[in-house]
Amino acid sequence: MNQQVIVAGGGIGGMACALALARSGVPTVLLEQAAVFGEVGAGLQLGPNATRVLADWGLTDALQACAAFPEALHVRDAHRGTDLGQLRLGAMALARYGQPYATVHRADLHALLLAAVQEQGLTELRLNARLASFAQTPAGVSASLEDGAVVDGDALLGCDGLWSRVRMQLLGHRPVRSSGHLAYRGMVRSADLPVPLRASVVTAWLGPRMHVVHYPVRGGEWINVVAVVDGVLGQGHGGEAGSDPQSWTHQARATDLARALGPACADLLSMIHAVPAWSLWALNDRPAMTGAHEHAQGRVALVGDAAHPLRPYLAQGAAMAIEDAWTLGRILKPVRARDDWPQVLARFADTRWQRNARVQQQSQRNGRIFHAMGMVRWGRDTAMRLLGERLLDNPWLYDGPPEPLQDPTPSPHSKRKT
């Protein structure tokens, strides 16, 4: 199977797809609209479901060289500072799931995927190449670029994010949905923090209409901090009213964040005040997927945020894109000349859409729970204290990714149910 596949988008999802296809012997041309390869944002979390894929791709050593591996998840009350619950990670995650729980800088994850793609040698990387439209025929796909160039292939993968042009043409114009939440993001050197805040743990602070998460990245040398609050850009939260919602680089004011957090406890304020600079952007998403047709039609498929954008309350955005790519690669192995792309992509969509929809729904639910007030907040805290790890763990998620439907080939975890 030596047909060329077009990958639109050179972020984590696009790189993961290019790598999965290359490992299956499929050449790709990857189109990236930016002038250089890179990733915006800061840290992200990779559960065992994602690190399992990276291990299958032979990237464990590369991940260990740049990531941190937290020992636990601690959930605390943002105002009182009290402990609400804990989930053991570290050695316990490795024992439970066979793979570790990692935290990594987005740029580091992107760089290791890019290096792996280049090592495979089957991907043509094109910068300054922004897709304008595509035309699908029974024999293939033609992608027209903004500069007038045309790229032909046997299939097209839209890995171009929440504001995907591939999605817009495939599914029609459907506006993104505002979550009503704003994310303040920043990083601070571990050495600049009080010793108790340098611990190798993921800490989630929950409060009324807000929550904060921080965790180590870059081997523990830096701490990534994300504060999510109820609000709208331009209404007391930096930026200008009407700012471009696609921007990830709005200037943020620490005073706005402090006001939104309310009467935060001393430990949380110490972390917030240590961050030297903040960026800010609105969190948007789309409703959960309703069918396989939202993942693929004919020779065109959507991957990652282009298909199933996630609110960051389950820490699975990058992981689901990586799972998508792995699934496609599994379907393509072993290479069979009789495979046809509409059939391959239909099987991919049938395998992925329900799991991705479930993750979308759970992420939205978590956002409501994290920001709860009144009796709902009391019930959340009580359940967390009583149920502990049973409430915080997600075996259905971390045991993945599931094998492709009707997969004729075995795998190390083919018996795993997800």
Side-chain angles (χ1 to χ4, degrees):
M1 191 175 194
N2 57 5
Q3 303 103 316
Q4 173 176 275
V5 173
I6 305 166
V7 176
I12 288 172
M15 283 296 169
C17 281
L19 177 58
L21 268 62
R23 289 174 54 84
S24 300
V26 179
T28 64
V29 54
L30 187 149
L31 309 174
E32 168 54 42
Q33 65 179 357
V36 296
F37 285 112
E39 266 293 326
V40 294
L44 53 83
Q45 302 178 59
L46 297 175
N49 54 312
T51 57
R52 180 173 293 112
V53 171
L54 297 180
D56 187 54
W57 288 343
L59 299 176
T60 296
D61 289 346
L63 182 66
Q64 289 179 340
C66 66
F69 298 89
E71 292 298 321
L73 163 66
H74 291 168
V75 184
R76 299 179 64 181
D77 186 286
H79 290 178
R80 295 187 294 267
T82 53
D83 293 328
L84 299 178
Q86 175 178 307
L87 173 66
R88 290 169 293 171
L89 301 174
M92 183 57 68
L94 192 61
R96 283 174 177 162
Y97 301 111
Q99 294 295 332
Y101 194 104
T103 51
V104 62
H105 195 287
R106 295 184 69 91
D108 295 338
L109 176 61
H110 186 271
L112 72 85
L113 290 171
L114 174 58
V117 166
Q118 292 172 323
E119 184 179 355
Q120 288 291 324
L122 282 176
T123 303
E124 177 188 352
L125 302 172
R126 294 195 189 182
L127 294 168
N128 295 306
R130 187 177 191 186
L131 182 141
S133 63
F134 66 86
Q136 184 175 183
T137 71
V141 180
S142 291
S144 299
L145 309 187
E146 284 191 344
D147 64 5
V150 175
V151 181
D152 294 321
D154 291 273
L156 169 64
L157 303 180
C159 307
D160 46 347
L162 173 65
W163 309 90
S164 168
R165 291 191 172 188
V166 178
R167 180 191 178 101
M168 185 180 298
Q169 183 172 339
L170 189 69
L171 301 181
H173 180 67
R174 302 174 188 176
V176 300
R177 180 177 63 177
S178 171
S179 69
H181 293 169
L182 298 173
Y184 288 78
R185 295 182 182 264
M187 293 184 67
V188 57
R189 287 187 180 276
S190 297
D192 295 335
L193 292 170
V195 172
L197 295 179
R198 302 178 194 175
S200 181
V201 298
V202 179
T203 303
W205 303 86
L206 307 186
R209 290 195 284 265
M210 54 76 65
H211 76 280
V212 179
V213 179
H214 54 79
Y215 49 81
V217 295
R218 295 191 160 162
E221 294 184 3
W222 288 82
I223 302 294
N224 181 69
V225 187
V226 184
V228 180
V229 302
D230 288 8
V232 178
L233 277 176
Q235 295 184 11
H237 289 280
E240 298 295 333
S243 295
D244 179 5
Q246 299 187 38
S247 174
W248 285 48
T249 56
H250 293 289
Q251 289 239 303
R253 295 188 291 261
T255 53
D256 296 337
L257 174 57
R259 187 184 311 111
L261 293 181
C265 68
D267 280 352
L268 177 53
L269 287 177
S270 293
M271 178 65 75
I272 296 299
H273 292 155
V275 176
W278 295 93
S279 60
L280 169 68
W281 59 91
L283 296 177
N284 299 294
D285 70 350
R286 296 183 184 277
M289 303 184 80
T290 60
H293 67 285
E294 294 183 17
H295 238 321
Q297 295 182 24
R299 294 176 176 268
V300 180
L302 302 173
V303 173
D305 282 352
H308 44 79
L310 294 167
R311 298 182 185 181
Y313 313 139
L314 195 57
Q316 284 289 312
M320 288 300 104
I322 290 170
E323 282 196 13
D324 283 350
W326 179 87
T327 301
L328 187 55
R330 288 288 297 164
I331 292 172
L332 293 170
K333 278 188 172 181
V335 175
R336 297 187 296 271
R338 66 178 180 274
D339 280 333
D340 69 90
W341 281 103
Q343 181 183 41
V344 166
L345 296 182
R347 186 170 156 204
F348 161 77
D350 286 340
T351 299
R352 292 297 303 163
W353 82 267
Q354 292 184 67
R355 178 172 170 87
N356 286 325
R358 183 177 181 183
V359 173
Q360 286 179 294
Q361 292 163 353
Q362 186 65 50
S363 298
Q364 295 166 20
R365 179 175 177 270
N366 280 2
R368 294 191 294 270
I369 293 172
F370 289 177
H371 290 211
M373 299 184 295
M375 290 302 296
V376 176
R377 181 187 181 195
W378 178 87
R380 175 200 68 197
D381 295 351
T382 302
M384 206 169 294
R385 282 192 294 267
L386 293 176
L387 299 177
E389 293 194 340
R390 285 179 292 171
L391 188 65
L392 294 172
D393 202 5
N394 291 291
W396 67 271
L397 181 60
Y398 297 148
D399 264 332
E403 285 289 349
L405 299 177
Q406 301 177 351
D407 183 18
T409 61
S411 101
H413 61 286
S414 58
K415 295 181 181 179
R416 187 176 283 113
K417 295 180 179 179
T418 305

